[in-house]
Amino acid sequence: MEERYSPAAIEEKWQSRWAHEKSFKVTEDPNKQKYYLLEMFPYPSGRIHMGHVRNYSIGDVVGRFKRVRGFNVLHPMGWDAFGMPAENAAIQNKSHPAKWTKENIEYMRGQLKRMGLSYDWDRELATCDLSYYRWEQQIFLEMYKKGLAYKKSSFVNWCPSCETVLANEQVEDGGCWRCDTTVTQKELEQWFFRITAYAEELLQCTDNLPGWPERVLVMQRNWIGKSLGCEIDFPLEKGGAIRVFTTRQDTLFGATFMSLAPEHPLALELATAEQRAEVDAFIEKVKQTDKLKRTADDFEKEGVFTGSYCINPATGERMPIYLANFVLLDYGTGAVMAVPTHDQRDFEFARKYSLPLRVVIQPEGELLEPAAMTAAYTEPGTMINSGDFNGISSLEAKAKIADWLEKKAKGCKTVNFRLRDWGISRQRYWGNPIPFIYCDCCGTVPVPEKDLPVVLPLDVEFTGEGGSPLARLESFLKVDCPLCGKPARRETDTMDTFVESSWYFLRYCCSDFTGGPLDTEKVRYWMAVDQYIGGIEHAVLHLLYARFFTKVLRDLGYVNVDEPFTNLLTQGMVIKDGAKMSKSKGNVVDPNALIEKYGADTARLFSLFAAPPEKDLDWNDQGVDGCFRFLNRLWKLVHELLPKIQTAGAVDVAKLSDDARALRRTVHKTIRKVTADIDERFHFNTAIAAVMELVNAVHAFAAKNSPENSALMKEAIESTLLLLYPFVPHFSEELWEMAGHKGGIEAAGWPSFDAEAAADEELLIVVQVNGKLRGRITVSVDADEESVKAAAFADDKVLGHLEGKTPRKVIYVPGKLLNVVV
């Protein structure tokens, strides 16, 4: 019998047994309640880090807990394997992305298995595998048929370093989300997904996700950005009109100039000969500026006069038309009616370029003079200088001016969304080929489904030069048109990698299915994901796209749910020395080294004990040592008690001494607490702390060496091992087996607590005098109000604060508090 705790040997033993017995393989079982648990799958970058250890340990606790409690648990793992890092590594190391990715997957899979995670590895998938991305191409074509995938020319976010397009959500603080290079604007033909067709539903359904953090829901609502307002036409002097969207139609009479986005289709057309050079230079300058920076409040407002004018439809006055750097083409119509007295950006712009100001809303009890204003007035007030609308409140004017615009055919009420269609074209190699062909005779032609998949070729050359190597590979590029048979060329753009991660959770339900993208019966059984775990950084990237894709696939007949994830946990980061772990900061802890020294169970235990899952974890080497010492102490305790507990029977409660009864109460209170902490709150840290306290209690009791209490010790030790199993599975399995059990610890099921045994025999009552804490008393659990009062008035601290005064009133909250009013 091994008396020394040797994590390496124990963990290897149990991991081998779990793999051999396929302990975590799962199939659909209509007689069992399903539980679909998922952590966001990793990019195979080469090594897992402590953030992975924490994230996957959190998920594993939930999975093992639910499995022990009888749920049919689906807990899969795979790889988000396409993407630019693989291609960049290929260029730097002269290694093919496929080889680099495959080697990384092999290594990281070994690391995850070494952590003892309860994955059904038979469902493993990698998005770069043909068996995955071929079905994504079919989904693309089905979306195209429904008008949900289309191509158009547009200004896009361009990363000069990665040499590819980025979605709006992938631009962070003006830089590329991958490499931090400043993002510029570039006009290209791009493929888009029409996510705006689902904007209203995506917004409304955020009210139906009570299991999501409110912070994430707020971020999604703001990103979707629904606005109620009006579209208004401003006639051009040259003919035609500029249409604007505004939520402030009440300020229409105060509009004194027009601001256009530099990318607006009319920008160059409106530039007069005298102004053309300035306009060209300004447009080129703005192209080099990140769009998010342009809209920041502290960003300097700049513009250029086009030389043209439009007419205010309410006042009939001429309004000069400017290009302004803070106006974006992809919000509203790309044109803004500028009201400098009632919009701060317009105010700053007007002051800079000496443009006229007209007040049309006066605050209560104050008279605004344009020349004296130091900032725009943006609050409600009373209408002035607004014709027939003078004298009414600005809130009332919103509705009346909207009606007036529609009656006069000068505008209309409308809804606008900040959300823009998702640009998914990427000018890179390592991605899913977009299944389209370009023919000089037939135009843009979808690849026929019978010709799918379009296989990503492996015989490509990486030079590091701009553009995709697919465009230089004639064996891929040249193809016959499927309609007319004439020579044509393939699309060389590949899909944004966020497309792959937008439906992988569905494919897990049927990863071996060969009859289409999804086996609808299996998807119907498993979906939605009951618990999803991942970082807050994906709030408006992956999570929004995944919700969109789920709704699309529902409408295509593949899915029967509206939302993919019922509950969402966004775990905190791992911090060391005051900063997020990173190689550049030199504060990285290598999981391999940690596991070599302490074992996977200690690494798991510390990552779960040091902080609640949703909070940042502050790494502490002493804390890791402490967790290792705890396991060693428990290991030693169990070995000391094994001779007593292996042959012990059931507990005879009637024969228990007071000390034994107190220990049994601690056992059952701990079962109750740990069960609630895992199942209801995910408070793994307090659950572990409660088990540690129980171990202390068992240790203290065992020191009294009471052989007649062997049955109680058995109950206490076995309960401890069962409660610890989700956190330290190898450790618990080994000791469970040593205690004489066969068939693995999960066969025992989760321990249930005896409510009577867990009940306290005494209560702690807080005593207040005139609402201030003045003492604490201990009373019997069945003490009535009079007994509690008597105990309170006998307490020296309470008596000292009564100062001999007669109580006017005594208020008793049963079992909690007594307040004496004097």
Side-chain angles (χ1 to χ4, degrees):
M1 184 181 295
E2 178 63 66
E3 294 188 9
R4 181 173 172 272
Y5 175 42
S6 302
I10 293 167
E11 289 168 5
E12 183 179 357
K13 167 188 171 180
W14 286 100
Q15 288 165 19
S16 297
R17 184 178 297 185
W18 294 332
H20 176 72
E21 296 177 355
K22 291 188 178 292
S23 299
F24 311 117
K25 182 178 175 60
V26 67
T27 56
E28 299 72 33
D29 185 348
N31 297 316
K32 294 180 73 175
Q33 185 175 349
K34 70 93 178 176
Y35 191 87
Y36 187 176
L37 167 72
L38 189 61
E39 304 97 47
M40 294 179 185
F41 65 169
Y43 183 81
S45 57
R47 301 288 185 273
I48 66 169
H49 51 68
M50 288 312 302
H52 289 126
V53 171
R54 188 187 191 200
N55 190 24
Y56 303 143
S57 296
I58 290 168
D60 203 56
V61 169
V62 179
R64 290 179 183 273
F65 174 76
K66 290 293 184 179
R67 193 178 295 106
V68 173
R69 300 196 82 190
F71 286 82
N72 197 30
V73 178
L74 172 58
H75 190 200
M77 175 50 70
W79 312 96
D80 191 8
F82 274 140
M84 288 181 284
E87 192 165 341
N88 291 338
I91 294 168
Q92 294 166 11
N93 305 323
K94 297 183 179 179
S95 172
H96 196 283
K99 180 176 182 291
W100 185 85
T101 302
K102 184 176 180 181
E103 289 173 351
N104 287 349
I105 287 174
E106 290 290 331
Y107 189 86
M108 291 176 69
R109 184 193 298 116
Q111 287 185 295
L112 295 182
K113 287 186 175 181
R114 198 174 176 192
M115 285 176 59
L117 300 168
S118 57
Y119 293 132
D120 180 355
W121 284 105
D122 286 355
R123 294 176 183 262
E124 181 184 12
L125 59 81
T127 58
C128 64
D129 288 344
L130 185 61
S131 59
Y132 184 85
Y133 75 74
R134 64 170 295 171
W135 301 119
E136 189 168 284
Q137 293 177 4
Q138 181 173 319
I139 292 169
F140 189 105
L141 293 178
E142 292 185 45
M143 292 175 69
Y144 178 76
K145 291 175 185 176
K146 295 286 187 180
L148 295 173
Y150 67 95
K151 194 171 191 183
K152 71 172 183 177
S153 177
S154 71
F155 283 91
V156 294
N157 302 307
W158 179 260
C159 175
S161 176
C162 296
E163 295 180 320
T164 193
V165 171
L166 302 175
N168 289 340
E169 296 89 337
Q170 293 169 320
V171 180
E172 299 177 350
D173 296 325
C176 171
W177 73 295
R178 284 284 192 197
C179 67
D180 290 331
T181 300
T182 299
V183 173
T184 62
Q185 297 297 297
K186 188 173 184 177
E187 189 169 14
L188 289 174
E189 285 279 324
Q190 297 287 292
W191 284 98
F192 288 83
F193 283 156
R194 205 179 300 276
I195 191 173
T196 53
Y198 289 82
E200 184 65 43
E201 186 182 355
L202 287 167
L203 181 63
Q204 293 298 327
C205 284
T206 59
D207 293 331
N208 303 327
L209 295 171
W212 283 43
E214 185 61 23
R215 179 185 174 193
V216 175
L217 295 175
V218 168
M219 292 169 75
Q220 291 217 356
R221 289 171 188 141
N222 290 341
W223 191 261
I224 296 167
K226 183 178 181 179
S227 301
L228 303 177
C230 287
E231 287 188 346
I232 306 173
D233 290 327
F234 286 72
L236 290 165
E237 282 191 331
K238 298 177 179 179
I242 295 176
R243 175 162 289 189
V244 306
F245 170 80
T246 181
T247 60
R248 293 297 310 274
Q249 59 269 23
D250 53 325
T251 65
L252 174 59
F253 286 80
T256 58
F257 62 97
M258 176 70 65
S259 299
L260 291 188
E263 307 90 345
H264 197 286
L266 290 175
L268 292 176
E269 184 180 326
L270 292 172
T272 61
E274 296 81 5
Q275 293 296 112
R276 181 59 185 255
E278 285 189 55
V279 168
D280 286 343
F282 182 75
I283 291 173
E284 193 58 37
K285 178 182 178 181
V286 174
K287 281 183 182 179
Q288 308 306 314
T289 309
D290 170 56
K291 287 195 290 187
L292 286 180
K293 286 184 178 178
R294 286 166 54 186
T295 58
D297 290 339
D298 58 353
F299 192 70
E300 185 179 358
K301 312 300 182 287
E302 292 182 331
V304 63
F305 179 43
T306 63
S308 296
Y309 293 83
C310 62
I311 306 300
N312 185 317
T315 66
E317 295 176 352
R318 296 172 84 221
M319 292 169 46
I321 302 171
Y322 277 74
L323 304 188
N325 63 354
F326 59 87
V327 182
L328 302 181
L329 181 62
D330 56 5
Y331 181 75
T333 65
V336 174
M337 65 172 204
V339 186
T341 49
H342 303 296
D343 180 276
Q344 186 59 31
R345 293 186 306 175
D346 295 342
F347 180 85
E348 293 172 21
F349 194 90
R351 284 286 193 238
K352 182 168 185 173
Y353 295 102
S354 302
L355 294 165
L357 284 72
R358 178 185 296 114
V359 174
V360 292
I361 299 174
Q362 286 283 11
E364 186 72 29
E366 187 178 348
L367 184 64
L368 293 179
E369 292 291 346
M373 293 178 71
T374 57
Y377 176 73
T378 59
E379 300 301 316
T382 302
M383 300 294 293
I384 64 168
N385 298 325
S386 299
D388 294 340
F389 305 101
N390 286 343
I392 65 174
S393 74
S394 56
L395 295 177
E396 184 182 355
K398 273 192 177 184
K400 290 196 171 184
I401 290 177
D403 292 338
W404 178 82
L405 287 166
E406 289 193 327
K407 182 178 179 181
K408 298 290 186 179
K410 296 175 182 288
C412 61
K413 300 171 189 173
T414 190
V415 176
N416 188 67
F417 290 93
R418 179 176 180 264
L419 181 68
R420 285 293 169 261
D421 283 340
W422 174 13
I424 59 97
S425 291
R426 297 295 178 267
Q427 292 68 44
R428 300 298 293 222
Y429 160 72
W430 191 237
N432 189 1
I434 295 174
F436 272 80
I437 293 168
Y438 300 107
C439 173
D440 291 338
C441 297
C442 305
T444 303
V445 182
V447 174
E449 284 192 20
K450 66 179 180 63
D451 294 337
L452 293 179
V454 177
V455 179
L456 183 69
L458 298 180
D459 55 335
V460 295
E461 181 184 0
F462 290 91
T463 64
E465 297 174 358
S468 169
L470 293 176
R472 300 187 294 272
L473 187 67
E474 290 198 359
S475 60
F476 176 82
L477 185 64
K478 292 185 176 181
V479 65
D480 291 337
C481 174
L483 296 182
C484 69
K486 293 180 180 179
R489 66 187 189 282
R490 288 195 188 278
E491 170 66 81
T492 59
D493 284 358
T494 53
M495 297 186 209
D496 180 7
T497 54
F498 278 95
V499 178
E500 281 83 70
S501 60
S502 293
W503 71 288
Y504 79 105
F505 48 88
L506 293 162
R507 185 68 185 174
Y508 275 144
C509 300
C510 51
S511 59
D512 59 351
F513 186 57
T514 59
L518 297 170
D519 182 328
T520 55
E521 288 302 313
K522 291 183 177 181
V523 169
R524 184 171 288 110
Y525 176 83
W526 289 113
M527 287 299 289
V529 175
D530 294 280
Q531 183 64 60
Y532 200 35
I533 302 170
I536 189 74
E537 67 270 17
H538 297 292
V540 291
L541 281 156
H542 160 61
L543 290 172
L544 185 63
Y545 294 155
R547 295 182 59 221
F548 162 61
F549 243 72
T550 300
K551 296 175 189 302
V552 169
L553 291 171
R554 174 201 64 196
D555 293 346
L556 292 175
Y558 289 111
V559 178
N560 67 324
V561 295
D562 297 327
E563 290 289 336
F565 314 121
T566 303
N567 296 291
L568 173 68
L569 172 67
T570 53
Q571 87 283 353
M573 296 186 297
V574 180
I575 305 294
K576 189 171 188 288
D577 303 327
K580 180 182 178 181
M581 283 189 183
S582 70
K583 291 180 182 178
S584 62
K585 293 185 175 68
N587 63 348
V588 171
V589 173
D590 179 15
N592 280 6
L594 190 71
I595 292 172
E596 285 288 343
K597 183 176 181 180
Y598 296 105
D601 280 337
T602 295
R604 291 167 57 119
L605 189 65
F606 174 74
S607 69
L608 297 163
F609 176 58
E614 71 279 4
K615 303 293 185 183
D616 289 345
L617 183 157
D618 198 351
W619 188 266
N620 183 294
D621 292 334
Q622 289 74 31
V624 180
D625 283 330
C627 287
F628 187 61
R629 288 197 304 272
F630 165 71
L631 292 180
N632 274 280
R633 184 166 178 250
L634 178 55
W635 181 271
K636 183 179 179 182
L637 175 64
V638 173
H639 275 76
E640 290 173 353
L641 295 174
L642 277 177
K644 298 178 183 178
I645 68 176
Q646 283 176 326
T647 58
V651 175
D652 187 344
V653 179
K655 294 183 179 179
L656 293 179
S657 65
D658 288 346
D659 284 350
R661 196 178 298 274
L663 176 62
R664 189 163 187 265
R665 183 180 308 113
T666 300
V667 170
H668 287 270
K669 287 176 70 174
T670 304
I671 295 172
R672 180 176 62 191
K673 176 171 177 55
V674 172
T675 303
D677 279 352
I678 297 176
D679 197 30
E680 300 170 14
R681 297 182 284 268
F682 281 16
H683 287 181
F684 304 145
N685 57 323
T686 56
I688 293 168
V691 177
M692 289 177 171
E693 290 176 8
L694 172 60
V695 171
N696 288 339
V698 174
H699 208 282
F701 186 85
K704 297 178 181 179
N705 208 8
S706 307
E708 71 275 10
N709 288 310
S710 57
L712 174 61
M713 298 305 295
K714 178 181 180 180
E715 181 182 63
I717 290 297
E718 291 185 349
S719 296
T720 299
L721 296 178
L722 286 165
L723 294 177
L724 278 177
Y725 168 68
F727 305 99
V728 287
H730 315 86
F731 178 93
S732 300
E733 285 271 28
E734 183 70 9
L735 289 178
W736 187 258
E737 186 178 73
M738 286 182 176
H741 297 286
K742 304 297 182 183
I745 197 169
E746 287 194 1
W750 189 253
S752 57
F753 67 89
D754 182 329
E756 185 177 344
D760 288 309
E761 292 189 348
E762 293 183 326
L763 293 174
L764 184 67
I765 304 295
V766 171
V767 182
Q768 296 177 338
V769 177
N770 289 342
K772 293 184 178 180
L773 176 63
R774 296 307 187 194
R776 293 180 175 87
I777 57 173
T778 302
V779 298
S780 170
V781 70
D782 53 5
D784 59 15
E785 183 173 347
E786 292 305 316
S787 300
V788 174
K789 288 180 182 178
F793 292 136
D795 185 86
D796 291 339
K797 287 185 179 180
V798 175
L799 287 173
H801 286 94
L802 290 176
E803 298 175 347
K805 297 176 182 175
T806 302
R808 288 195 298 108
K809 189 177 183 182
V810 178
I811 303 167
Y812 179 53
V813 179
K816 295 182 179 180
L817 178 145
L818 187 83
N819 185 23
V820 182
V821 182
V822 296

